[in-house]
Amino acid sequence: MKSFFRLLMLLGIACLPTTSSLAQDNDAKAQQLATAVWQASGGEKWSTVKEIVFTFAVEKNNQPVLLAEHDWKVDAGTDRVRWNGKDVTVNLVSPAQDEGNQAAYQRWVNDSYWLLARLRCETLE
């Protein structure tokens, strides 16, 4: 009888999916979800976007702490950023190393990340 149960256990274990196949299934499901989110967020239209104008706002106790206005020329690879009395147009492909350009580039990296987080599920092309 013990041998019979051992045999059943061995057969049961042999029929379980391997960790590798579970990981592949999860990867495939994650990719499907990422694609669905990207499509629902307009990802297929990304190649037609020429310009995005947006304001990144941070509030604390219902009071504005930061307002950063962006005029992002997507096809030109530039962003004009206005915040805290600064007004800088930064080259997003190769930002200059001066303090103003570096600060504007950091603003763009942070602010555009939050603006486009759902599109970042898939690679922006």
Side-chain angles (χ1 to χ4, degrees), residues 1 4 13-15 32 42-43 48 51 60 65 70 75 85 91 105 110 112 120-121:
M1 192 66 158
F4 178 71
I13 290 172
C15 293
Q32 288 173 343
T48 66
E51 180 179 17
K60 184 175 181 180
V65 176
H70 293 265
D75 53 351
N91 179 327
Y105 182 71
N110 180 76
S112 67
R120 296 196 185 277
C121 290

Side-chain angles (χ1 to χ4, degrees), residues 27-43:
D27 287 349
K29 289 177 184 176
Q31 184 61 45
Q32 288 173 343
L33 177 60
T35 299
V37 169
W38 179 79
Q39 288 173 335
S41 300

Side-chain angles (χ1 to χ4, degrees), residues 29-72:
K29 289 177 184 176
Q31 184 61 45
Q32 288 173 343
L33 177 60
T35 299
V37 169
W38 179 79
Q39 288 173 335
S41 300
E44 293 170 333
K45 301 290 185 185
W46 180 253
S47 63
T48 66
V49 175
K50 304 286 186 238
E51 180 179 17
I52 300 174
V53 178
F54 69 100
T55 300
F56 183 81
V58 178
E59 291 183 355
K60 184 175 181 180
N61 300 323
N62 293 326
Q63 297 297 315
V65 176
L66 169 73
L67 291 175
E69 298 174 335
H70 293 265
D71 186 354
W72 177 11

